[in-house]
């Protein structure tokens, strides 16, 4: 049986280059207060500060991990493009350099029914606060990747990342390879 309850354990991502840093990830479904949360994001009053993503254009947890690593690198170099490390994660998921566009496309919308909530170095109190702030069902960590795959909107992934047929062929690579490459090289191109 799948667990969609407030007590579900979050997923914690670790970073080899930043062994003292973690990213706690929770997927919420059946969200009922997205307008309120979205307004809190805009007003910068949402506590604890978090990355709140729309899971539909997010192809994989690995892509999120890469974007979060890039945010940590940018933060360590004092080179954040956005105001906070958490908004930097949302921006880094994007394949283009337009901040507003990236936040709009990949951030949580005011009518969202599913939200991927992420927080760096989350304490148990932060996790509880995130669960209390978002009215929805938390997907258990064991089901996270399968649920993300179900929520992925492949048409939006194709529209936002524009993976080519050749680069996504079995002999060359995959859609995930194309997405991760775009996230990693956006600032270079």
């Amino acid at each position: 049986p799948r667990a969609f309850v407030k007590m579900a354990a979050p997923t914690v991502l670790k970073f080899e280059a930043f062994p003292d840093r973690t990213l706690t990830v929770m997927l919420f479904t059946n969200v009922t207060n997205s307008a309120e949360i979205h307004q809190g994001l805009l007003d910068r009053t949402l506590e604890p500060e978090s990355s709140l993503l729309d899971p539909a254009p997010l192809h994989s947890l690995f892509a999120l991990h890469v974007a979060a690593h890039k945010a940590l690198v940018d933060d360590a170099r004092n080179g954040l493009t956005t105001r906070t490390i958490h908004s930097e994660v949302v921006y880094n998921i994007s394949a283009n350099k337009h901040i507003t566009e990236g936040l709009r496309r990949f951030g949580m919308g005011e009518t969202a029914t599913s939200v991927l909530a992420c927080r760096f170095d989350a304490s148990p109190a932060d996790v509880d606060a995130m669960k209390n702030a978002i009215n929805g069902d938390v997907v258990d960590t064991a089901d996270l990747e399968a649920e993300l795959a179900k929520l992925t909107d492949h048409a939006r992934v194709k529209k936002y990342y524009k993976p080519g047929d050749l680069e996504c062929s079995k002999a060359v690579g995959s859609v995930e390879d194309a997405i991760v490459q775009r996230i990693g090289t956006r600032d270079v191109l």
Side-chain angles (χ1 to χ4, degrees), residues 2-20:
R2 295 191 322 220
F4 296 114
V5 295
K6 286 282 188 180
M7 302 314 231
T11 298
V12 179
L13 303 178
K14 297 182 180 188
F15 303 90
E16 189 174 324
F18 300 93
D20 57 332

Side-chain angles (χ1 to χ4, degrees), residues 26-100:
M26 291 184 289
L27 177 61
F28 292 83
T29 57
N30 303 314
V31 175
T32 59
N33 65 334
S34 55
E36 173 188 325
I37 296 165
H38 189 263
Q39 190 59 49
L41 277 173
L42 295 178
D43 297 340
R44 292 190 211 117
T45 59
L46 192 64
E47 289 294 329
E49 181 187 312
S50 308
S51 303
L52 298 176
L53 297 121
D54 177 357
L58 183 68
H59 187 266
S60 68
L61 194 57
F62 182 60
L64 173 64
H65 203 169
V66 170
H69 182 271
K70 192 171 182 331
L72 286 171
V73 169
D74 293 342
D75 187 46
R77 294 179 178 164
N78 294 319
L80 293 178
T81 303
T82 63
R83 289 191 171 132
T84 71
I85 193 168
H86 291 97
S87 60
E88 195 80 4
V89 172
V90 180
Y91 169 64
N92 283 342
I93 292 285
S94 177
N96 68 48
K97 293 183 181 182
H98 302 285
I99 298 169
T100 304

Side-chain angles (χ1 to χ4, degrees), residues 94 121 168 176:
S94 177
D121 311 318
C168 296
E176 183 172 69

